[in-house]
Amino acid sequence: MRPSKVHPFCWGAIALVGLVLLSSCEKKESKNNLSQAAQNCPDVPLLNPSATGEFDPIASSEAVSCGTIRLWGSSMPKSFNMWQDYNSFSVGLIALMFEPLVGLHSTEDREIGLLADRWEISPDSMTFTFHLDPRARWSDGRSITAEDVQFYYDVIMDPKNLTPIFKVGLSRFERPKILDSLTLSIRAKEIHWANFWEAAGMMAFPKHVWKDKNFNDIRYEFPVVSGPYKINLFREDRFVELERRADWWGFQKNWNRGKYNFEKIRYRFMDDRTKALEAFKKGDFDAYAVYTSSIWMKQTDFPAVKNGWAIKQRIFNKEPIGFQGMAMNLRREKFQDIRVRNALSMLLNRKLINEKYMYNQYFLLNSYFPDLWPNNQNPHAVLFDYNPDSARVLLKEAGYVPDERGMLNKKGKPLSVTFITQGEDLRHLTLYQEDLKKVGIDAKIEQMSQSTLRKRLDDADYDMYWISWGSGRLRDPESSWSSATADSKGTNNISGLKDSIVDKLIAMQKTEFNLAKRNDIARKIDDRLVALVPYVLLWQSDHHRILYWNRLGMPKSVYDKFGREDENIPVYWWYDKKKDSSLNAAMSEGKSLKVPLYDIYYKDSL
């Protein structure tokens, strides 16, 4: 999609003042959109008496549909097409424009029909039959059919299309069969509990629009969609604006009542996170998530927060917690000795880093699946403390002798470690580097571009790399820990772990369809991983941090049970004209508003 034409006044601005004038036009346009939408805000939610099905327990019955929300969109991705450029922003954008056949319930571990209204699983758990909701329509009014879902499979699996991540899952299936215009079945090639969810995650692609197009050329243009929003405006490197589809077929389902409330959602692209925070403080953004604890503690108690005009909150919910750590390349000889790996874990002063740089806002990890354990701590695992004396003992046992040249092995070769990174904040790595050098380990930090780093990881050409992994409600450890993936290019098993016990446990969970029992197996995998120490584990947060202006309505829990801001704000929040009126009055009169609770905890009773 080519960038939309800029307003003539802005287009004619000379280069010297162009950025200022463009910014002024954006702000003026955004404010006009907001005030115009506010005038049309209904006093009470508009209900659809013909809607059917169950309700989403998170969605508020007080939500009204109106207004515009302005959010930070980070750096503009090279494509909004998440199937060829998988990034968090494009994933969120696509989720507002397309929906899968079936999703996970917002509070329970069970399925909820989205594009499909019912489905069957064969007795051998190998064939899945989906019946599309007969009300489902494309944004151009045409019916969504089984052929559109089959077309999705064909597009993803086409060797010419740059969709490698999605090919992996769908390659476990035969091509879907169309049983009638609204029904299709798909058969797996081998049994696996995740087969249903892989099949249920298929979407519909508009075959009547895309059948003659090169899918690799579809980057920013999605003229026909099936979801609640469509792209209204796009200006390259500046912003993308979504517009709510009042005629969305999904509003005939009670599940979507009180959701997708903003008439427009505008994401403004900015590379610099600090500048984005300053833009929020000036009122250019309506909500802003903070991921850095030092910023949260030092830069977010500005006057608007103290006056209750802007809200600062920590949200505690049940979002699955991943892990972060420094992966050690086990393919290299120096890391193959468990004593060396343990010593490297003992030489990272996590408590000092947490206190010095992160204001004790994080908990220290001793697990690769922390949320599966009480208080996020594996009771069977060591919580490594900083202990250079014990580290020296382990290194000596591993054959390293201290010398003026460093820690030398039996061949007289010094023990050295190089960290690769694209990051600019090197405080944590520098402190670790200094502590490693104190015991004689030659430690270097090598900064590089994202493309170079990606190639080094793909080629397994590195010593140690700091990476953060997310998690999900239906965790599948195979891609991250199976021996079969250790030597694959672009693998998630970046440490190159190969372990027969882990492999057997992974094989066990493949055929276990009960989530609770699979989690039991995952705990056993975790016990084995913490014994093997493939990472120097770091720290993790058990909450979310959010700033927002006090004109927004939201569920009592702020976020849902399992989600975060990018999944929740566009879906469950809404523009509240009464709050906006109170905010405007308080700001003009210099008065304070009531400050809500700082910490919000999700409760199933909410």
Side-chain angles (χ1 to χ4, degrees):
M1 176 177 176
R2 289 187 294 272
S4 303
K5 291 185 179 179
V6 184
H7 189 281
F9 176 73
C10 294
W11 192 253
I14 61 174
L16 183 63
V17 297
L19 288 177
V20 176
L21 292 176
L22 287 171
S23 177
S24 298
C25 288
E26 277 191 39
K27 289 180 183 178
K28 186 175 182 181
E29 183 178 8
S30 179
K31 289 179 180 178
N32 285 343
N33 284 340
L34 183 57
S35 61
Q36 185 177 11
Q39 293 172 8
N40 298 323
C41 283
D43 293 324
V44 295
L46 301 178
L47 305 181
N48 182 353
S50 63
T52 60
E54 63 180 298
F55 294 86
D56 186 336
I58 298 297
S60 173
S61 60
E62 300 174 3
V64 296
S65 301
C66 70
T68 296
I69 188 166
R70 302 158 300 164
L71 301 170
W72 177 50
S74 65
S75 301
M76 194 190 86
K78 66 180 182 181
S79 174
F80 294 157
N81 186 340
M82 75 166 190
W83 295 278
Q84 58 177 264
D85 180 23
Y86 195 78
N87 62 82
S88 58
F89 178 80
S90 295
V91 169
L93 203 68
I94 290 295
L96 295 171
M97 296 192 291
F98 295 88
E99 62 267 85
L101 294 169
V102 179
L104 263 173
H105 192 278
S106 59
T107 62
E108 303 172 23
D109 291 326
R110 63 179 175 89
E111 309 88 345
I112 188 76
L114 299 175
L115 196 57
D117 64 355
R118 57 190 178 92
W119 51 90
E120 294 95 34
I121 302 174
S122 64
D124 63 358
S125 299
M126 296 282 281
T127 300
F128 310 96
T129 302
F130 297 95
H131 305 268
L132 302 187
D133 192 316
R135 299 169 296 186
R137 295 287 186 277
W138 292 109
S139 55
D140 62 3
R142 293 185 57 154
S143 295
I144 299 175
T145 68
E147 192 173 359
D148 292 316
V149 181
Q150 184 190 60
F151 181 63
Y152 171 89
Y153 175 94
D154 291 341
V155 168
I156 297 300
M157 297 304 295
D158 189 328
K160 299 192 299 297
N161 292 335
L162 305 176
T163 54
I165 296 176
F166 295 87
K167 281 183 170 69
V168 173
L170 285 184
S171 66
R172 301 203 302 253
F173 297 89
E174 299 170 0
R175 186 176 186 243
K177 294 181 179 179
I178 296 175
L179 304 183
D180 60 48
S181 64
L182 295 176
T183 310
L184 78 160
S185 68
I186 184 168
R187 183 163 180 81
K189 299 174 183 177
E190 61 180 26
I191 194 165
H192 195 298
W193 68 263
N195 284 341
F196 170 78
W197 290 106
E198 188 69 45
M202 290 193 299
M203 298 182 180
F205 278 168
K207 186 174 181 178
H208 64 289
V209 177
W210 284 355
K211 62 180 179 180
D212 297 321
K213 290 185 178 292
N214 183 341
F215 189 71
N216 297 323
D217 292 337
I218 298 173
R219 297 173 61 213
Y220 301 113
E221 186 173 0
F222 299 88
V224 176
V225 298
S226 63
Y229 285 92
K230 63 181 180 181
I231 293 176
N232 181 49
L233 288 172
F234 169 56
R235 295 181 184 169
E236 194 166 352
D237 291 324
R238 291 176 56 203
F239 67 84
V240 61
E241 181 179 273
L242 300 181
E243 183 175 52
R244 183 178 182 266
R245 294 179 52 216
D247 62 347
W248 179 44
W249 74 273
F251 289 129
Q252 299 176 62
K253 299 166 73 80
N254 283 328
W255 184 255
N256 296 313
R257 178 178 166 183
K259 296 161 67 172
Y260 309 109
N261 302 303
F262 295 108
E263 292 294 334
K264 292 179 181 176
I265 304 173
R266 174 172 288 210
Y267 295 97
R268 180 179 168 189
F269 300 121
M270 296 180 70
D271 294 338
D272 192 305
R273 181 177 293 275
T274 301
K275 290 181 179 178
L277 175 58
E278 293 307 310
F280 170 82
K281 292 180 180 180
K282 292 188 296 182
D284 292 346
F285 296 128
D286 295 300
Y288 177 79
V290 178
Y291 299 105
T292 305
S293 55
S294 59
I295 292 176
W296 182 254
M297 299 298 291
K298 296 168 65 175
Q299 299 182 38
T300 57
D301 289 321
F302 50 99
V305 168
K306 294 179 179 179
N307 286 325
W309 303 343
I311 307 303
K312 174 181 176 178
Q313 286 181 325
R314 301 193 304 176
I315 313 300
F316 295 79
N317 64 359
K318 305 296 183 182
E319 184 196 18
I321 299 174
F323 75 93
Q324 62 176 325
M326 298 183 193
M328 292 173 276
N329 190 349
L330 305 183
R331 307 167 188 87
R332 297 193 165 176
E333 184 178 357
K334 58 189 169 187
F335 296 116
Q336 290 172 6
D337 192 315
I338 183 68
R339 293 169 294 192
V340 172
R341 303 200 296 274
N342 280 326
L344 290 171
S345 295
M346 293 176 180
L347 290 169
L348 179 65
N349 198 337
R350 297 191 295 174
K351 288 183 179 178
L352 176 63
I353 291 174
N354 192 24
E355 178 181 346
K356 184 176 182 179
Y357 298 138
M358 301 180 298
Y359 299 86
N360 288 316
Q361 291 284 300
Y362 293 80
F363 66 88
L364 305 184
L365 285 164
N366 74 340
S367 169
Y368 296 85
F369 304 102
D371 61 296
L372 289 182
W373 302 101
N375 300 316
N376 299 310
Q377 297 286 305
N378 184 335
H380 313 131
V382 174
L383 185 65
F384 283 106
D385 289 325
Y386 177 64
N387 195 330
D389 292 335
S390 295
R392 288 189 179 95
V393 172
L394 286 172
L395 291 172
K396 183 177 181 180
E397 292 176 357
Y400 289 94
V401 179
D403 183 89
E404 65 272 7
R405 291 170 291 171
M407 279 284 181
L408 306 182
N409 63 13
K410 294 178 182 178
K411 299 177 182 178
K413 185 176 180 181
L415 177 59
S416 64
V417 171
T418 299
F419 304 97
I420 63 171
T421 180
Q422 69 170 103
E424 296 181 0
D425 184 357
L426 302 180
R427 293 173 302 164
H428 311 76
L429 283 177
T430 299
L431 193 150
Y432 190 27
Q433 177 188 39
E434 292 170 354
D435 284 331
L436 290 172
K437 287 183 175 180
K438 288 176 184 177
V439 301
I441 298 176
D442 180 24
K444 299 182 178 66
I445 301 171
E446 188 176 351
Q447 289 178 281
M448 60 193 64
S449 67
Q450 171 65 24
S451 58
T452 301
L453 184 141
R454 185 68 260 171
K455 186 177 188 306
R456 291 279 293 273
L457 290 174
D458 287 347
D459 295 339
D461 182 18
Y462 75 99
D463 282 345
M464 297 180 71
Y465 173 59
W466 181 349
I467 189 169
S468 179
W469 294 104
S471 185
R473 293 166 64 183
L474 303 173
R475 50 180 60 81
D476 186 352
E478 184 173 4
S479 64
S480 297
W481 302 114
S482 170
S483 297
T485 67
D487 298 321
S488 302
K489 205 174 187 68
T491 179
N492 285 352
N493 186 357
I494 62 172
S495 65
L497 180 79
K498 294 181 180 179
D499 182 72
S500 60
I501 295 176
V502 171
D503 289 341
K504 288 178 182 177
L505 290 168
I506 288 174
M508 284 175 57
Q509 63 89 41
K510 282 185 180 182
T511 56
E512 178 53 69
F513 288 81
N514 182 283
L515 178 59
K517 292 181 179 180
R518 284 205 308 277
N519 285 341
D520 287 339
I521 297 172
R523 292 184 188 94
K524 293 177 182 178
I525 293 175
D526 193 45
D527 286 341
R528 181 61 179 167
L529 291 175
V530 295
L532 294 171
V533 196
Y535 282 69
V536 174
L537 287 174
L538 300 177
W539 42 78
Q540 193 58 279
S541 175
D542 61 353
H543 61 273
H544 310 278
R545 309 181 191 99
I546 186 70
L547 296 166
Y548 58 91
W549 288 93
N550 199 358
R551 62 168 59 93
L552 299 170
M554 62 208 62
K556 293 180 181 179
S557 56
V558 182
Y559 292 173
D560 69 8
K561 184 174 183 178
F562 299 106
R564 54 192 308 119
E565 73 285 340
D566 52 351
E567 301 163 336
N568 278 255
I569 293 175
V571 177
Y572 292 110
W573 290 26
W574 68 93
Y575 170 79
D576 189 319
K577 67 177 182 180
K578 292 181 180 178
K579 282 188 175 182
D580 188 46
S581 177
S582 298
L583 173 61
N584 291 335
M587 293 176 70
S588 64
E589 298 168 11
K591 295 181 178 180
S592 297
L593 295 173
K594 181 181 179 181
V595 178
L597 292 174
Y598 176 58
D599 288 336
I600 304 294
Y601 293 86
Y602 175 86
K603 297 179 181 178
D604 286 313
S605 59
L606 286 176

